[in-house]
């Protein structure tokens, strides 16, 4: 076929880890590679793709239409699911390359290849140019990235909803995409950029009243500074937080810090944009510690008050001068009513009435669809003075903003006003389903508030700016319906979290655990918990906290502990239904268990077991007997541990549902094997671990499968069956990576360090050990804690200068890098 010309969309593919696959599969890899080529050629050909080049395990295709390239990539990815060992990354870019006799030449070819190289196996990354031409396709915005050999940051997108590690680019950022360009502020941008990239300030705090445009300005400044921070520019929205203890876990998630935040950023040159710091300003002392420990990190902070830490430079934003204020008004007015002429003098008067506050100007401009600018000015003259006077307790400019929001609110219909104030129950926005369930509003009313700039779309969520949200909350509190609305809010999120299947006590083995829902709604969960706790709905709060048990375990067990501790301290906790209390005690214990607070975990597990026993709930008893048995095993009380777990095992055997029975037996069998291991009965331990692995595979319990594979590897390592240990440890580690299981990754990397030591590979053993030597993560049955000392002894036995050098190199690796390195060798 003839190569397309003009506007062309390029598709590059590459097999991830081809060298490793060749080593693992030997001669069979040629067959896997041939099948991969056949499947991709068929998929790409169906959509009109023309093969430009093939080198090794990589393809280069050209398409006449961007939509065809995306469809071909999706078909190819699905086809490759039949060859699971082969995982292919793809990159797609659209441009106007020069077509010569030798093929395509130009920057667009290079850019497409770099985009493909940025991906991970199974991932399709798309350039902004292609995304614009294929707007109807499901694309996830990955933010701005600097690609190798390309100076300007590029906005990248992902085709489909799969979860992958951060893109492999030289520069990463998650800065939000502003809906409109920044107007004015050129001098201010230059000032802040100079502060961020110079030697004077470690933290720059952008201050000013609400509505002055701090967030929009800070995003622009951070975007300008990207070249100075090769390890990333990261946006962290703190607006929904009220607990200072949540600030740094939130930052860690934003920068994808799998390990401790200070360690993750110790040698990084990056910029953290911390937005809306004023309500968690008590966390400023931790900011100072972070800067002291991480010399390459700088902070750009938006806050209504300074942090008052060493190295901070305060930079106050002032209202917009007349000319840029008028330009902002005109731009926003034209966006809603392109045919309306805006006279400079009238616009200047409007902006003057609004004190040059950008948010107030935007709210007023949104009304040009209804009022021409002259009528708008008259309306402002009539209502704004009264509305400003009502807010006497606020600073002057803040009174103007509150008056402007109040004026916008008064212009709404009764139905729109009701929806607006009820949206004040949410934190960090909500999906349409949540809005309809909690507020009683519909999509038409919601779109009307979007048109009036009172609500904004952000992906599948509807959000309010923090200043507008504060106003909505005040109106809700004054309406007399706050209790009813917040009760519906808490009830909705309790139902949603129960449907997410995150409670170990009520887990449905036939459905996946949708922990991503809890991560997306964590701020609404906290808001509902806070309201329920403050209003005396202790039972409701305990139900909700228990329903997100897996979220606490995977995200921050210490936060879960804080919620449960506060709720169990309530005076009315004794009146809570025994079933709710038993489940909540178990979830509280699970958080303490994962956090390593064993004494508290034992006490809570035993309290929960006693409650389930009183209730005659054999399912609850079976689960708790198993957990109490694991704790007894950890303390070395093997006789009691065996009795407890055996009793749990027998209860599970009596289940009528085969899937629920085997799900429970998977765990009890594995734990009985661990008890045999600690009793030095290695033959029985291995037999039971193998049985538990097969059971776990059969019922689809991947987390337990990975844990049992790691246990098998540890037993094989102790018996010096090095090849078996290597194979099982690798499989366990790959599964842990797929599940984003931190504890499992630590365990897997540590075991492979032991394998390398047993083989006498000093450099590899020490490098892997250095990456995990400080880790104390809890794996299934406490696996890493149980086997860590044996692996350490085996590695450090290889003493010498080569060992010390490799240990130092390993300590510089992130956990993800160490895991990748472990699987490569």
């Amino acid at each position: 076929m003839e190569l397309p010309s003009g506007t062309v969309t390029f598709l590059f593919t590459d097999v991830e880890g081809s060298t490793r696959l060749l080593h693992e599969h030997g001669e069979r890899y040629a067959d896997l590679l041939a099948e991969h080529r056949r499947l991709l050629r068929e998929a790409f050909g169906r959509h009109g793709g023309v093969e430009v080049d093939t080198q090794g395990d990589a393809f280069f295709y050209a398409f006449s239409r961007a939509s065809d390239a995306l469809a071909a990539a999706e078909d190819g990815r699905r086809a490759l699911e039949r060859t699971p060992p082969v995982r292919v990354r793809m990159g797609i870019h659209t441009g106007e390359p020069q077509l010569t006799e030798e093929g395509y030449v130009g920057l667009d070819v290079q850019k497409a290849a770099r985009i493909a190289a940025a991906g991970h196996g199974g991932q399709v990354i798309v350039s902004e140019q292609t995304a614009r031409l294929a707007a109807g396709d499901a694309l996830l915005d990955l933010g701005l990235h600097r690609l190798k050999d390309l100076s300007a940051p590029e906005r990248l997108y992902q085709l489909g909803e799969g979860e992958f590690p951060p893109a492999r680019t030289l520069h990463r950022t998650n800065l939000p995409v502003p809906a409109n360009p920044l107007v004015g502020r050129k001098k201010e941008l230059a000032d802040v950029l100079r502060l961020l990239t110079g030697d004077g300030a470690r933290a720059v705090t952008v201050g000013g009243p609400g509505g002055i445009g701090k967030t929009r300005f800070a995003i622009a400044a951070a975007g300008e500074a990207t070249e100075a921070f090769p390890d990333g520019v990261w946006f962290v929205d703190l607006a929904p937080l009220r607990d200072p203890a949540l600030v740094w876990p939130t930052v860690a998630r934003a920068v994808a810090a799998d390990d401790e935040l200070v360690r993750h950023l110790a040698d990084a040159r990056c910029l953290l944009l911390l937005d809306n710091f004023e309500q968690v300003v008590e966390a400023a002392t931790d900011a100072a510690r972070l800067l002291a420990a991480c010399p390459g990190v700088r902070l750009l902070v938006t806050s209504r008050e300074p942090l008052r830490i060493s190295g901070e430079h305060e930079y106050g934003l002032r209202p917009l001068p007349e000319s840029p204020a008028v330009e902002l008004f005109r731009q926003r007015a034209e966006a809603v009513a392109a045919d309306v002429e805006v006279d400079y003098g009238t616009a200047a008067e409007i902006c003057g009435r609004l004190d040059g506050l950008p948010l107030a100007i935007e709210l007023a401009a949104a009304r040009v669809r209804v009022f021409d600018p002259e009528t708008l000015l008259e309306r402002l003259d009539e209502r704004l003075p009264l509305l400003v006077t009502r807010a006497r307790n606020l600073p002057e400019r803040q009174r103007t903003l509150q008056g402007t929001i109040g004026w916008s609110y008064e212009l709404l219909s009764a139905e729109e006003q009701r929806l607006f104030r009820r949206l004040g129950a949410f934190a960090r926005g909500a999906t349409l389903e949540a809005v309809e369930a909690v507020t009683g509003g519909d999509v038409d009313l919601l779109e009307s508030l979007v048109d009036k700039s009172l609500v904004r779309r952000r992906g599948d969520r509807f959000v309010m700016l923090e200043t507008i949200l504060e106003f909505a909350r005040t109106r809700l509190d004054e309406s007399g319906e706050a209790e009813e609305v917040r009760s519906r809010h808490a009830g909705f999120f309790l139902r949603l979290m129960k449907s997410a299947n995150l409670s170990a006590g009520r887990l449905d083995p036939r459905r996946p655990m949708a922990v991503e829902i809890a991560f997306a709604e964590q701020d609404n969960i906290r808001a509902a918990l806070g309201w329920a706790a403050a209003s005396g709905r202790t039972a409701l709060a305990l139900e909700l906290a228990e329903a997100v048990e897996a979220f606490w375990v995977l995200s921050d067990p210490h936060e879960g502990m804080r919620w449960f501790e506060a709720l169990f301290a309530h005076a009315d906790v004794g009146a809570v239904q025994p079933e709710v209390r038993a489940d909540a005690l178990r979830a509280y214990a699970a958080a303490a268990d994962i956090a390593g607070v064993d004494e508290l975990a034992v006490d809570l597990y035993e309290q929960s077991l006693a409650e389930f026993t009183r209730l005659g709930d054999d399912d609850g008893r079976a689960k708790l007997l198993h957990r109490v048995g694991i704790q007894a095993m950890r303390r070395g009380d093997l006789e009691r541990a065996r009795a407890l777990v055996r009793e749990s095992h027998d209860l599970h055997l009596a289940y009528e549902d085969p899937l629920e029975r085997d799900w429970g037996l998977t765990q009890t069998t594995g734990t009985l094997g661990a008890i045999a291991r600690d009793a030095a009965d290695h033959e029985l331990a291995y037999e039971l671990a193998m049985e538990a692995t097969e059971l776990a595979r059969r019922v689809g319990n991947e987390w337990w499968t990975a844990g049992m594979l790691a246990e098998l590897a540890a037993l094989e390592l102790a018996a010096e069956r090095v090849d078996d240990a290597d194979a099982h440890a690798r499989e366990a580690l790959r599964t842990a990576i797929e599940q984003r299981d931190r504890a499992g990754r630590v365990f897997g990397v540590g075991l492979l360090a032991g394998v390398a030591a047993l083989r006498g590979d000093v450099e590899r053993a020490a490098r892997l050990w250095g990456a995990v030597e400080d880790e104390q993560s809890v794996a299934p049955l406490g696996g890493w804690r149980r086997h860590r000392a044996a692996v350490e002894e085996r590695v450090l036995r290889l003493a010498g200068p080569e060992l010390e050098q490799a240990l130092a190199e390993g300590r510089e690796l992130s956990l993800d890098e160490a895991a990748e390195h472990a699987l490569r060798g």
Side-chain angles (χ1 to χ4, degrees):
M1 292 180 63
E2 190 173 318
L3 293 176
S5 59
T7 300
V8 180
T9 299
F10 294 137
L11 169 58
F12 278 78
T13 78
D14 185 36
V15 173
E16 183 181 61
S18 55
T19 303
R20 172 179 57 80
L21 289 171
L22 177 60
H23 176 74
E24 289 180 356
H25 297 280
E27 294 181 358
R28 183 170 172 263
Y29 180 61
D31 295 331
L32 291 171
L33 190 60
E35 178 66 1
H36 135 269
R37 286 176 180 153
R38 183 185 69 79
L39 292 171
L40 288 185
R41 281 187 171 123
E42 288 181 359
F44 297 171
R46 279 196 299 271
H47 295 279
V50 181
E51 186 172 330
V52 182
D53 192 16
T54 305
Q55 294 184 9
D57 49 21
F59 274 124
F60 176 17
Y61 265 74
F63 295 79
S64 298
R65 298 196 308 172
S67 57
D68 289 340
L70 293 177
E74 182 61 21
D75 276 6
R77 180 170 59 185
R78 289 179 179 173
L80 288 176
E81 291 175 357
R82 303 177 212 164
T83 58
V86 178
R87 291 174 58 80
V88 172
R89 49 179 166 245
M90 305 187 198
I92 302 176
H93 170 63
T94 304
E96 296 184 352
Q98 182 181 355
L99 180 57
T100 70
E101 292 183 357
E102 300 297 322
Y104 295 109
V105 296
L107 183 62
D108 289 311
V109 178
Q110 182 186 18
K111 184 181 290 187
R114 296 301 185 206
I115 289 171
H120 299 270
Q123 186 177 31
V124 180
I125 297 186
V126 180
S127 73
E128 184 173 19
Q129 290 82 353
T130 304
R132 286 175 184 164
L133 294 172
D137 292 276
L139 296 174
L140 175 66
D141 189 348
L142 299 178
L144 288 172
H145 292 256
R146 185 160 60 87
L147 300 168
K148 186 177 180 182
D149 300 327
L150 301 176
S151 58
E154 301 284 339
R155 186 163 295 282
L156 300 180
Y157 296 79
Q158 177 183 298
L159 177 63
E161 299 180 350
E163 292 189 5
F164 299 91
R168 303 172 187 272
T169 52
L170 296 178
H171 177 76
R172 301 194 303 273
T173 177
N174 66 341
L175 286 175
V177 183
N180 301 292
L182 183 69
V183 177
R185 306 293 194 199
K186 288 184 180 179
K187 177 185 179 300
E188 294 94 328
L189 279 174
D191 289 344
V192 169
L193 188 60
R194 193 161 45 246
L195 290 168
L196 290 173
T197 58
D199 297 329
R202 293 292 309 282
V204 178
T205 300
V206 178
I212 199 73
K214 297 186 292 294
T215 298
R216 179 65 186 83
F217 170 79
I219 290 171
E224 292 288 333
T226 54
E227 290 297 315
F229 297 100
D231 294 315
V233 174
W234 304 102
F235 177 85
V236 187
D237 182 9
L238 303 178
L241 304 186
R242 294 298 180 269
D243 182 355
L246 296 178
V247 170
W248 302 107
T250 302
V251 173
R253 282 193 292 274
V255 303
D258 249 339
D259 44 10
E260 200 271 332
L261 182 62
V262 170
R263 179 179 175 182
H264 184 81
L265 298 179
D267 299 312
R269 286 179 56 204
C270 69
L271 176 66
L272 305 180
L273 198 175
L274 308 180
D275 191 38
N276 288 288
F277 206 96
E278 60 269 6
Q279 71 270 9
V280 286
V281 74
E282 295 90 344
T285 53
D286 293 323
R289 294 190 193 101
L290 178 72
L291 292 178
C294 307
V297 173
R298 301 231 175 164
L299 303 181
L300 177 59
V301 180
T302 70
S303 178
R304 296 182 196 177
E305 60 178 292
L307 275 60
R308 305 193 192 285
I309 61 174
S310 176
E312 179 185 24
H313 186 104
E314 297 174 38
Y315 192 92
L317 280 187
R318 300 180 62 79
L320 287 173
E322 181 179 290
S323 178
V326 169
E327 177 63 22
L328 176 63
F329 182 85
R330 282 177 161 172
Q331 283 188 11
R332 301 301 184 266
E334 289 174 2
V336 298
D339 57 337
V340 173
E341 292 188 9
V342 180
D343 173 71
Y344 184 96
T346 303
E349 285 194 63
I350 291 171
C351 295
R353 297 286 195 283
L354 300 174
D355 289 342
L357 290 171
L359 179 56
I361 292 169
E362 290 193 28
L363 290 173
R367 285 294 174 177
V368 169
R369 179 183 282 131
V370 180
F371 307 120
D372 62 60
E374 290 73 18
T375 305
L376 180 64
L377 179 59
E378 291 174 10
R379 294 274 184 144
L380 283 173
D381 281 340
E382 290 171 4
R383 292 298 297 153
L384 193 58
L386 175 61
L387 293 166
V388 168
T389 302
R390 286 179 183 171
R392 285 195 181 94
N393 61 324
L394 295 173
E396 182 179 351
R397 287 178 185 140
Q398 192 69 9
R399 290 204 305 270
T400 301
L401 177 62
Q402 290 294 306
T404 307
I405 300 173
W407 173 74
S408 297
Y409 177 75
E410 286 195 350
L411 291 174
L412 299 175
S413 68
E415 292 81 7
E416 289 171 331
Q417 287 184 352
R418 182 166 57 248
L419 173 58
F420 174 86
R421 64 176 176 262
R422 289 178 176 181
L423 289 172
F426 292 101
R428 199 181 264 178
T431 62
L432 177 60
E433 178 190 7
V435 170
E436 290 175 335
V438 173
T439 70
D442 58 32
V443 67
D444 293 332
L445 282 174
L446 197 54
E447 289 290 355
S448 179
L449 295 184
V450 171
D451 291 341
K452 296 173 176 66
S453 295
L454 292 168
V455 174
R456 301 187 179 196
R457 279 183 177 273
R458 190 174 295 165
D460 66 342
R461 302 180 73 79
F462 294 87
V463 302
M464 285 177 161
L465 294 176
E466 189 66 14
T467 307
I468 297 176
L469 182 60
E470 289 175 3
F471 185 93
R473 285 173 177 156
T474 300
R475 288 292 176 270
L476 178 61
D477 289 337
E478 295 171 350
S479 69
E481 59 183 18
E483 184 171 337
E484 176 191 350
V485 172
R486 290 197 166 99
S487 177
R488 286 207 298 266
H489 176 273
F492 173 83
F493 285 102
L494 175 59
R495 293 190 298 276
L496 181 66
M497 290 305 105
K498 284 185 173 181
S499 73
N501 203 31
L502 303 180
S503 163
R506 300 289 176 261
L507 187 72
D508 182 352
R510 290 172 175 80
R511 294 191 295 116
M513 295 172 65
V515 71
E516 68 278 0
I517 296 177
F519 275 100
E521 299 294 356
Q522 57 186 293
D523 296 303
N524 278 309
I525 293 168
R526 292 182 184 114
L529 282 171
W531 172 80
S535 60
R537 271 81 164 178
T538 305
L540 171 62
L542 285 171
E543 278 193 85
L544 179 55
E546 185 271 335
V548 293
E549 178 180 352
F551 171 71
W552 305 130
V553 167
L554 292 172
S555 172
D556 185 355
H558 295 283
E559 183 187 357
M561 289 174 64
R562 289 195 297 273
W563 279 111
F564 282 117
E565 181 181 12
L567 292 171
F568 275 105
H570 280 213
D572 63 342
V573 73
V576 171
Q577 303 96 310
E579 297 87 349
V580 173
R581 178 180 170 84
D583 279 330
L585 283 165
R586 186 208 65 253
Y588 185 5
D593 192 344
I594 294 299
V597 189
D598 287 341
E599 189 173 334
L600 175 62
V602 170
D603 180 52
L604 294 168
Y605 279 142
E606 290 183 342
Q607 287 187 54
S608 180
L609 176 59
E611 292 280 0
F612 281 120
T613 301
R614 280 192 290 272
L615 289 166
D617 184 336
D618 283 346
D619 181 59
R621 285 185 62 234
K623 291 180 172 67
L624 267 299
L625 285 165
H626 178 237
R627 294 194 180 191
V628 175
I630 291 175
Q631 288 290 338
M633 178 189 70
R634 288 180 185 163
R635 294 195 307 273
D637 189 348
L638 300 186
E639 185 175 342
R640 182 167 188 260
R642 188 180 293 106
L644 290 166
V645 178
R646 174 55 66 184
E647 186 177 355
S648 172
H649 189 84
D650 291 342
L651 286 170
H652 281 109
L653 280 171
Y655 284 15
E656 294 183 1
D657 186 315
L659 183 60
E660 291 186 4
R661 178 195 65 212
D662 289 348
W663 188 275
L665 294 178
T666 294
Q667 299 175 60
T668 54
T669 301
T671 306
L672 288 170
I675 294 168
R677 172 202 67 199
D678 287 359
D681 189 344
H682 299 300
E683 184 176 344
L684 177 61
Y686 191 83
E687 177 186 329
L688 291 172
M690 185 65 78
E691 181 182 343
T693 302
E694 295 308 313
L695 270 171
R697 289 190 201 276
R698 192 164 72 218
V699 301
N701 189 338
E702 293 185 0
W703 185 73
W704 199 263
T705 300
M708 290 298 95
L709 287 166
E711 284 292 324
L712 286 171
L715 291 168
E716 290 156 348
L717 188 61
E720 298 192 354
R721 292 163 51 190
V722 65
D723 291 340
D724 291 338
D726 183 65
H728 283 133
R730 287 175 183 274
E731 189 178 353
L733 179 55
R734 280 193 288 270
T735 304
I737 291 171
E738 290 170 4
Q739 295 187 302
R740 301 167 67 189
D741 175 7
R742 175 175 182 75
R745 280 175 285 170
V746 171
F747 200 176
V749 172
L751 286 169
L752 287 170
V755 167
L758 186 57
R759 286 175 168 160
D761 188 340
V762 180
E763 184 178 341
R764 174 175 165 80
R767 188 176 292 118
L768 294 178
W769 176 254
V772 297
E773 64 179 339
D774 292 333
E775 295 284 356
Q776 300 296 328
S777 298
V778 178
L781 309 182
W784 183 233
R785 290 194 295 186
R786 172 64 177 78
H787 298 291
R788 183 187 182 284
V791 173
E792 180 178 31
E793 180 185 2
R794 195 177 291 276
V795 172
L796 298 185
R797 203 182 294 161
L798 308 170
E802 188 180 359
L803 176 78
E804 294 304 321
Q805 175 63 29
L807 281 172
E809 292 172 3
R811 290 168 187 139
E812 299 299 316
L813 295 176
S814 70
L815 182 56
D816 279 338
E817 290 169 338
E820 184 179 351
H821 178 70
L823 291 176
R824 273 204 309 264

